[in-house]
Amino acid sequence: MTSKLLSILATSFLILFYISAIISISTSAETSPNTTTTPKNLCKTTPDPSYCKSVLPTHTHGNVYDYGRFSVRKSLSQARKFLSLIEKYLRRRSTLSVAAVRALEDCRSLAILNMEFLSSSFQTVNKTSRVLSTLKAEDIQTFLSAILTNQQTCLDGIQGTASSWNVKNGISIPLANDTKLYSVSLALVTRGWVPKKKKVTTWTPKGEQLKGFRKGHMKMKMSSQNRVVYETVSRRNLADQEVADAEVLVRDIVTVSQDGSGNFTTINDAINATPNKTDSSEGYSLIYVTAGVYEEYVVVAKNKWNLMIIGDGINQTVITGNRSVVDGWTTFNSATFVVGAPGFVAVNITFRNTAGAIKHQAVAVRNSADLSTFYSCSFEGYQDTLYTHSLRQFYRDCDIYGTVDFIFGNAAVVFQNCHIYPRLAMANQFNAITAQGRTDPNQNTGFSIHNCTIMAADDLAAARNMSMMNNNSTISVTKTYLGRPWKEYSRTVYMQSYFDSSIETVGWREWNGDFALSTLYYGEFNNTGPGSDTANRVTWPGYHVIGNSSDVANFTVFNFLLGDDWLPQTGVPFNSGLL
């Protein structure tokens, strides 16, 4: 090879190198949050680019932080206007149907929450133009995700008021437009302030982190007076219990007993008497509810922070009601037990809705409480038993009974070591264990079902056995599916769980035709039992048989809930990673 040819090749190599470097720098600049850009370019990364361009200012150039702050501020302004609109309709409540008033009241409480979440989010994004810490980023993404969930909940309720078409028309359009704006805010905040989560390439199980409530006991840090009260009412000597890895800090304790021997005779009275907005560093306000059937509609208001309610055990302390959609309630306010306060913990309680399958949607528990925990509890109903509505939630060693969509909502939630019992439904009905309601690809929500047991309840098991023994296809046996997509970006993962033979071989069921089949994310990982065979599962684009632990690690307590940061203080045992 001649020296001239070598010189030409060297020159060509340098030219290619510099072109490559320029392209790399240009690409980096376009994707950097601090790069000045136009709304047109920035909006390409949002779910609805054309709407995004219509709301961002076009006469200026800025970066994702500038536009993100603008969008969140505008969202807060719109939330205030929407609340005023709801109040306007409610001032005319005498002209409206009961169903319409109840739906509007739901929308009002949700709109107030949205204003609070947006105000908090704006304060966060207004302080910095850089990626937040993981914990702060998780908070803001959770709040903005919940805002979209609240919007959808309001819309679902309003659309159910068929007799009040004027309300439906007057509310639905501004509601839909505001939802689009909130989606823009979530997208921009996610791009600018939320760190890209690292892919976990290997995973070492951390095992069960805490033993604080092992065998129904706990190690509690409390005053000597409260300790005496607790040991008296619960008949447990704390000093004799096993040593736990962490203590549960308790600031005060009261007792609910129907026979008048405690501080209160109703749960609601006990809750209302607890202090408002206590910091977690002050410890839990603990309510001990003695055995009995409490026919109350219990509400843990959003200002009752860090409240712990402990019963005498499943089927011993029972909270029951029978509201339903058929009887004129919205799904949202049909719940027997409602919790909206952060840091809530419930232990050893049964929650029931006894409306029955014939009354359709009838919720036992509606949970809209951030960083909330249910341990050793039972949820009993038929359609829509457990409404995991929004924010971050954890369920451990719980029993959940139901038929149609009986675990539903749009929280970021992990169910761990739970028993899930599909029941015998009405004729022509089927069981869908989950109906997850994620509406936006940037929401950090979904269902993670880890090391749980899915097994037919006694009534369904008996019907199945009768059908098989008699070889009689005319006997009505409810078909059971792992879930169906309630909303467009529905996300549910089953991992390391046991499925009995009641699960249909296809596994999952459509909601309506091909709706959401390419945008949902449904996954199964290392499940066992006769119903776990994935050979004949659905072939939807969004369905995945997850093959390795690094992919599924995103749905563990450690990653999905950042649970290592907040679960230890509850005293509830949990597995941080995979088994």
Side-chain angles (χ1 to χ4, degrees), residues 86-288:
I86 296 295
E87 297 285 9
K88 176 183 174 182
Y89 276 98
L90 282 172
R91 283 194 290 271
R92 295 159 33 202
R93 67 175 62 224
S94 61
T95 67
L96 302 174
S97 67
V98 172
V101 170
R102 286 174 175 166
L104 286 166
E105 287 174 342
D106 291 348
C107 290
R108 177 173 59 186
S109 64
L110 293 165
I112 292 170
L113 276 177
N114 282 356
M115 287 176 54
E116 293 173 0
F117 291 154
L118 282 164
S119 178
S120 174
S121 299
F122 182 71
Q123 290 177 32
T124 299
V125 300
N126 204 36
K127 290 177 182 177
T128 183
S129 293
R130 61 182 181 182
V131 171
L132 297 167
S133 68
T134 300
L135 292 177
K136 286 185 178 179
E138 188 73 10
D139 285 346
I140 192 171
Q141 194 175 17
T142 295
F143 295 152
L144 294 178
S145 295
I147 289 164
L148 289 174
T149 302
N150 292 343
Q151 292 288 104
Q152 186 64 51
T153 303
C154 173
L155 182 61
D156 289 342
I158 291 294
Q159 289 178 338
T161 59
S163 61
S164 301
W165 62 268
N166 57 329
V167 173
K168 199 156 39 174
N169 290 347
I171 296 294
S172 296
I173 293 175
L175 189 61
N177 287 335
D178 290 349
T179 300
K180 290 180 182 179
L181 175 61
Y182 301 162
S183 178
V184 172
S185 294
L186 175 59
L188 297 183
V189 168
T190 299
R191 182 175 175 186
W193 284 270
V194 177
K196 289 180 172 58
K197 293 184 179 179
K198 297 178 181 178
K199 291 288 183 181
V200 181
T201 55
T202 59
W203 185 259
T204 303
K206 292 190 175 183
E208 190 170 86
Q209 298 298 298
L210 299 171
K211 310 292 184 181
F213 281 120
R214 184 187 298 144
K215 299 178 183 177
H217 303 308
M218 55 191 165
K219 182 180 179 184
M220 308 188 77
K221 185 177 182 181
M222 58 177 74
S223 69
S224 58
Q225 181 180 0
N226 281 336
R227 179 178 291 270
V228 171
V229 172
Y230 179 80
E231 291 178 347
T232 300
V233 299
S234 66
R235 299 174 297 283
R236 294 169 182 160
N237 186 343
L238 296 177
D240 294 339
Q241 305 306 332
E242 299 178 44
V243 175
D245 297 323
E247 293 179 328
V248 179
L249 182 61
V250 174
R251 56 168 291 160
D252 196 14
I253 181 170
V254 297
T255 304
V256 178
S257 183
Q258 291 176 321
D259 64 8
S261 61
N263 305 97
F264 300 94
T265 57
T266 71
I267 300 169
N268 277 313
D269 285 346
I271 292 171
N272 293 335
T274 60
N276 296 335
K277 297 186 177 181
T278 58
D279 190 83
S280 59
S281 63
E282 300 176 50
Y284 289 101
S285 297
L286 193 153
I287 298 174
Y288 169 63

Side-chain angles (χ1 to χ4, degrees), residues 370-551:
D370 199 21
L371 309 178
S372 55
T373 307
F374 286 78
Y375 174 56
S376 190
C377 290
S378 183
F379 306 87
E380 300 176 12
Y382 287 85
Q383 183 170 349
D384 290 2
T385 302
L386 176 56
Y387 194 174
T388 57
H389 180 256
S390 57
L391 304 166
R392 292 164 286 193
Q393 308 177 16
F394 180 67
Y395 298 77
R396 171 78 180 211
D397 295 346
C398 292
D399 299 335
I400 310 166
Y401 296 81
T403 55
V404 182
D405 305 334
F406 65 96
I407 302 172
F408 75 113
N410 195 24
V413 54
V414 175
F415 298 92
Q416 197 171 84
N417 293 29
C418 294
H419 284 80
I420 299 172
Y421 295 107
R423 307 175 91 164
L424 185 66
M426 293 191 299
N428 302 318
Q429 282 189 332
F430 59 87
N431 291 333
I433 294 172
T434 64
Q436 204 283 325
R438 188 164 167 255
T439 60
D440 190 286
N442 289 304
Q443 287 179 307
N444 61 350
T445 55
F447 293 169
S448 173
I449 299 174
H450 182 208
N451 194 35
C452 292
T453 298
I454 293 84
M455 183 177 297
D458 290 345
D459 56 356
L460 178 58
R464 288 175 55 81
N465 290 337
M466 183 68 71
S467 177
M468 288 187 290
M469 285 174 58
N470 297 331
N471 195 24
N472 188 348
S473 60
T474 63
I475 296 177
S476 176
V477 178
T478 308
K479 292 184 176 181
T480 300
Y481 302 88
L482 297 172
R484 60 176 182 155
W486 183 27
K487 303 298 179 185
E488 188 173 3
Y489 293 93
S490 183
R491 181 162 63 174
T492 301
V493 173
Y494 287 83
M495 52 194 194
Q496 298 180 320
S497 294
Y498 175 87
F499 302 163
D500 78 353
S501 59
S502 64
I503 301 300
E504 292 294 304
T505 57
V506 294
W508 307 79
R509 181 164 177 136
E510 301 88 349
W511 184 271
N512 184 15
D514 62 357
F515 169 74
L517 301 188
S518 60
T519 51
L520 60 78
Y521 185 94
Y522 286 165
E524 297 182 52
F525 172 77
N526 279 11
N527 299 302
T528 59
S532 67
D533 187 353
T534 59
N536 296 307
R537 288 294 198 248
V538 295
T539 57
W540 308 336
Y543 170 72
H544 307 271
V545 177
I546 304 174
N548 60 72
S549 59
S550 62
D551 291 335

